[in-house]
Amino acid sequence: MTINSETMKSISNTEPKTAMQSFWSRAGKARRWRAFAPLAVLIVLCILIAIANPNFIEPRNLIRVANSAAVPLTLAMGMTFIILLGSIDLSVEGAVSVAAMVLVLLATNDSNTNNYGWFAVIAAIAASTVMGLASGFLQTTLRIPSFMATLGVWFIGLGFSVYMLGGSAVRLMDENIRALALSRFLGFPLAVWIAIAAFAVAIVIQYHTRIGRHIMAIGGGEDVAELSGINLRRVRIMAFGLAGFFFGVAGVLAAAQLGQSNAVIADGRLFAAVTAVVVGGTALTGGEGGVLNTLVGVLIVTVLANGMILLGISPYIQQTVQGLMIIAAVALSLDRFNLKIVK
């Protein structure tokens, strides 16, 4: 019995190709599964909570969920652009505190005689945007990690805010600005519509502007982006300024909802923003995900929190569930086919 050598070579050459094709096929399926996993989790979560407590799907509760998601969604829009870069912004709470402080002290309040109306809103957002630009400038000029640069800006902003407020709460008494939280359109508070507008702006920036494309390119591979002619320093500064803008809008909404500004108005906001972005499926390594993912992430976090309250779950158990959710989200978002080293 004879064996054709050409046939054997053909078989041996085919086997590696088949194995590689199988590998990349599995990798592609895994990526597609990760892309739709957050949306599937949101749908299943809503169904399970509605079965356990039908009050969840009542219009009044759905409006409550939307209102609770307004500030986190706006914050998470800004954080998304930073994480897409492969960086992190810890200045969230400082930026929100400064924005709320500027708003309250310039609008009608119970601490001074200022009454600048809507100019106070513009000034508040501008102050937070400047903080974002400062974070980007410090990181790129001093060449220090974004973690440390924004951590410093966080404490600077928080300290300045507490100093200007005198360590006490100052009430917001401007009825027009308070209307952002109290007035409704089509049944939803105006804050919800502003958050939706912020989301729409973020969509346009990511998918239809040069800065959005450059942010994605840098997150996907900084060396390749630089070789392509992208000005890394300018894009980073603009991205942090963009994040500061969204943080400022969130600070205005937070002050309008609370009716005052105080030292703890931003407590927990950083956790909410990062959690929403990660749970939505945006990779911490950058270059993968986006604001659409973040919208799903915000809804997952808000729905879960609302559902646990409706089910009477202890606040301590709620924190445990949120912690487990973060770990699971990060684990699912990792691309293990390309991840060689974990630091």
Side-chain angles (χ1 to χ4, degrees):
M1 180 177 179
T2 60
I3 299 176
N4 191 324
S5 59
E6 295 297 328
T7 304
M8 291 299 296
K9 290 180 181 179
S10 176
I11 293 174
S12 62
N13 290 336
T14 303
E15 287 179 350
K17 291 181 180 179
T18 304
M20 288 299 295
Q21 290 173 351
S22 177
F23 171 80
W24 288 114
S25 176
R26 291 196 302 271
K29 290 179 180 178
R31 290 191 184 95
R32 287 193 294 270
W33 182 86
R34 286 201 309 273
F36 291 101
L39 182 59
V41 169
L42 176 61
I43 294 172
V44 171
L45 187 62
C46 290
I47 293 173
L48 292 177
I49 295 175
I51 292 174
N53 191 332
N55 292 330
F56 172 75
I57 57 176
E58 288 186 354
R60 182 173 59 181
N61 186 65
L62 295 179
I63 292 174
R64 187 181 298 115
V65 170
N67 194 40
S68 299
V71 173
L73 177 62
T74 310
L75 284 174
M77 290 298 101
M79 183 62 74
T80 300
F81 290 111
I82 302 303
I83 292 181
L84 283 174
L85 274 176
S87 301
I88 192 69
D89 193 340
L90 301 183
S91 69
V92 171
E93 297 186 7
V96 171
S97 294
V98 167
M101 176 271 294
V102 170
L103 174 72
V104 170
L105 291 183
L106 291 182
T108 306
N109 61 81
D110 63 352
S111 177
N112 56 45
T113 59
N114 289 334
N115 181 20
Y116 292 101
W118 291 107
F119 174 77
V121 174
I122 298 173
I125 297 174
S128 182
T129 303
V130 169
M131 287 185 65
L133 292 171
S135 295
F137 180 80
L138 288 173
Q139 192 224 340
T140 56
T141 302
L142 300 181
R143 299 184 65 81
I144 58 179
S146 58
F147 178 93
M148 297 308 299
T150 56
L151 181 65
V153 172
W154 172 12
F155 287 115
I156 291 171
L158 186 60
F160 180 68
S161 177
V162 172
Y163 172 78
M164 293 300 296
L165 293 173
S168 60
V170 176
R171 289 179 57 201
L172 175 63
M173 302 174 66
D174 189 305
E175 295 183 358
N176 292 326
I177 298 177
R178 284 285 284 151
L180 297 177
L182 302 178
S183 296
R184 301 196 172 205
F185 177 70
L186 298 179
F188 291 91
L190 292 180
V192 174
W193 296 105
I194 293 174
I196 293 174
F199 170 69
V201 170
I203 285 285
V204 172
I205 292 172
Q206 180 178 350
Y207 296 106
H208 302 287
T209 66
R210 180 178 297 178
I211 182 66
R213 292 191 293 271
H214 287 179
I215 288 173
M216 291 293 291
I218 292 174
E222 190 167 321
D223 294 340
V224 176
E226 187 173 18
L227 291 173
S228 300
I230 296 176
N231 188 322
L232 302 184
R233 184 170 183 268
R234 182 173 61 190
V235 172
R236 284 189 175 277
I237 293 174
M238 290 179 66
F240 277 95
L242 190 60
F245 170 81
F246 284 104
F247 298 162
V249 175
V252 170
L253 295 181
Q257 289 180 344
L258 192 60
Q260 64 177 19
S261 179
N262 54 48
V264 297
I265 191 171
D267 279 10
R269 302 292 188 182
L270 172 63
F271 171 83
V274 175
T275 300
V277 176
V278 174
V279 169
T282 296
L284 288 171
T285 51
E288 182 179 348
V291 292
L292 286 171
N293 299 70
T294 298
L295 172 63
V296 176
V298 170
L299 292 177
I300 289 175
V301 173
T302 307
V303 166
L304 180 62
N306 179 265
M308 288 191 291
I309 292 173
L310 290 177
L311 298 176
I313 297 176
S314 167
Y316 304 108
I317 301 299
Q318 293 180 29
Q319 293 178 350
T320 301
V321 172
Q322 290 172 341
L324 292 172
M325 178 176 61
I326 294 174
I327 295 173
V330 173
L332 290 173
S333 67
L334 291 176
D335 187 352
R336 291 177 176 78
F337 292 98
N338 295 322
L339 192 64
K340 298 180 177 62
I341 299 174
V342 178
K343 298 182 179 180

